[in-house]
Amino acid sequence: MAGFSHNVMGVTIVFMASVLWIWMLRSLDIYGSFYSLTYNSCSCDLDLTSASPASDTSTHLSGSNIASLPLPTVATKSRLASSPFPAKLWQKSGPGGMSKSREHYVKSWQQMNTNLRHEILTDGSADQYVRDVYASFPTLVNLFLSLQVPSMKVDLFRQLVLFAEGGVWSDLDVTCLKPVDYWIPEPYKNRTNVVVGLDSDESQFASWTVMAKPRTSHFAATIRYTVAALAESARRYNTTIPGLEMHAASKVVEVTGARAMTVAILRNLAAEMGVSIGRDNLTDLREPLLLQDVLILPNAAFAAMKSGRPEDRGPYLVEHYYAKSDE
Ligand SMILES: *[C@@H]1O[C@H](CO)[C@@H](O)[C@H](O)[C@H]1NC(C)=O
Ligand SMILES: *[C@@H]1O[C@H](CO)[C@@H](O)[C@H](O)[C@H]1NC(C)=O
Ligand SMILES: *[C@@H]1O[C@H](CO)[C@@H](O)[C@H](O)[C@H]1NC(C)=O
């Protein structure tokens, strides 16, 4: 019983913090309508004075910091610049484990990248990973563990891994076509902290393959965005975050998936760079585009097949097979 009410309290606190976070993001809406947040701010009554402080020691839910979901600290720019991308590949299997075809896909990564440490997590080991690595952030851990829609959970997991440890994330329905060491062209090598590739329609980044250094502000922003969007989605469906079920799944891409990651990273970049970034900046990209420390690859890199195998957009780095799930 104690655990249950603790959970409810945690979720309530996250919900309230998230609503305010959304409200704050909306008031910062400088990216034009394309990347504007589609969630409405909560019109429900919020009695903040009755909220108990989060058990996280890093923050209290009061005053001006109520909007900040407690997260590990972001690395400084000089720290990031002096550290390499971790030589690590993260993948995750579904509840059914791995099928033969996935083993074949996985081999392509191992053969191309003999220097990469490689970990394939399961549902159980992913839960344990989050409990261990985010142990000081129980609000986030409880929220993660409470998610019932598997695709939402793996989306948040991807963000949590890329923020905590970095390296390459790749879904299991993806093969590697070029060694990871070759992905960042020489002129960008010492300035890049995150590598994303455009999806075929160039409106958002692919989420099936992403590379990052640990503790970037971009993945902190992505986690915050996702948690806020989950809270807002729960409000829309008149439920709690753990109550979100498959009926909410049609919105997965926006709430936790590729679109959420794209919007969050571009908003964060725009805020840090003090410029506006919109869809036009990504359209018809033929060469990698470095925005501050985020390298955006043309759609040929991660989505060549769906993009019609373009020949004027640089190398194909991975192939995505659009499997229904990672089982
Ligand atoms: C990054 O590398 C380029 C050469 O590829 C060099 O000209 C530049 O000075 C380097 N910048 C930093 C900050 O190390
Ligand atoms: C929300 O759910 C509660 C409990 O299930 C119900 O009493 C209430 O009428 C619902 N509100 C709306 C707007 O659907
Ligand atoms: C995005 O495109 C607009 C319009 O072309 C331009 O003003 C802006 O500087 C671009 N942003 C970046 C970060 O390059």
Side-chain angles (χ1 to χ4, degrees):
M1 263 339 253
F4 175 76
S5 63
H6 179 77
N7 263 347
V8 169
M9 190 186 83
V11 168
T12 308
I13 288 167
V14 167
F15 173 78
M16 288 175 154
S18 303
V19 165
L20 274 162
W21 178 250
I22 289 179
W23 174 82
M24 224 186 74
L25 285 178
R26 288 177 62 81
S27 64
L28 283 174
D29 192 11
I30 53 176
Y31 319 104
S33 55
F34 182 69
Y35 289 114
S36 71
L37 198 53
T38 52
Y39 305 98
N40 298 315
S41 55
C42 188
S43 57
C44 41
D45 274 343
L46 273 186
D47 180 10
L48 296 174
T49 55
S50 69
S52 317
S55 46
D56 304 83
T57 51
S58 54
T59 192
H60 296 283
L61 278 175
S62 65
S64 56
N65 67 357
I66 191 161
S68 60
L69 173 75
L71 283 181
T73 47
V74 162
T76 60
K77 292 272 181 281
S78 62
R79 173 93 202 266
L80 282 172
S82 63
S83 59
F85 281 91
K88 169 103 193 214
L89 169 65
W90 301 92
Q91 303 195 285
K92 185 182 168 298
S93 68
M98 278 231 293
S99 68
K100 275 270 173 272
S101 68
R102 299 297 190 276
E103 283 172 21
H104 166 75
Y105 296 166
V106 166
K107 268 209 183 95
S108 71
W109 289 92
Q110 293 166 336
Q111 284 164 351
M112 286 278 161
N113 305 281
T114 50
N115 61 332
L116 284 190
R117 283 177 300 134
H118 184 198
E119 183 166 354
I120 304 180
L121 292 113
T122 60
D123 286 347
S125 68
D127 283 359
Q128 190 61 39
Y129 177 92
V130 173
R131 278 190 210 103
D132 291 347
V133 171
Y134 287 91
S136 309
F137 305 90
T139 309
L140 188 59
V141 173
N142 290 337
L143 182 136
F144 172 78
L145 295 175
S146 78
L147 288 174
Q148 300 301 310
V149 180
S151 50
M152 290 182 156
K153 202 168 173 191
V154 76
D155 282 339
L156 182 56
F157 184 66
R158 182 191 296 111
Q159 300 166 13
L160 293 172
V161 166
L162 288 171
F163 180 56
E165 290 191 56
V168 179
W169 172 280
S170 194
D171 289 355
L172 280 174
D173 58 347
V174 179
T175 55
C176 184
L177 304 176
K178 292 272 192 303
V180 170
D181 284 345
Y182 173 91
W183 287 8
I184 306 178
E186 200 54 43
Y188 305 109
K189 271 211 164 111
N190 56 7
R191 293 184 285 160
T192 300
N193 296 325
V194 172
V195 179
V196 286
L198 288 176
D199 202 344
S200 53
D201 73 355
E202 304 186 303
S203 73
Q204 67 195 22
F205 307 145
S207 63
W208 55 83
T209 304
V210 182
M211 179 158 87
K213 290 184 182 177
R215 306 285 187 101
T216 60
S217 65
H218 309 297
F219 276 95
T222 303
I223 292 167
R224 292 206 156 93
Y225 181 96
T226 294
V227 169
L230 280 167
E232 173 59 12
S233 190
R235 189 193 65 80
R236 280 197 177 181
Y237 287 100
N238 192 17
T239 183
T240 57
I241 288 176
L244 283 171
E245 285 174 20
M246 290 317 277
H247 61 266
S250 61
K251 298 280 187 206
V252 165
V253 172
E254 287 168 36
V255 173
T256 58
R259 182 132 206 106
M261 183 181 81
T262 305
V263 174
I265 290 178
L266 291 179
R267 279 170 174 268
N268 190 56
L269 274 173
E272 289 184 356
M273 297 169 76
V275 298
S276 75
I277 303 171
R279 182 172 185 156
D280 288 351
N281 297 90
L282 307 181
T283 302
D284 211 23
L285 210 61
R286 280 152 204 273
E287 289 175 8
L289 170 68
L290 184 70
L291 293 179
Q292 189 178 259
D293 59 339
V294 176
L295 191 67
I296 303 172
L297 303 174
N299 58 10
F302 292 171
M305 190 166 52
K306 208 165 143 208
S307 306
R309 301 195 174 281
E311 298 196 339
D312 56 350
R313 297 184 170 215
Y316 308 164
L317 305 180
V318 307
E319 189 71 86
H320 182 216
Y321 291 97
Y322 301 93
K324 287 234 162 18
S325 80
D326 275 336
E327 284 158 45

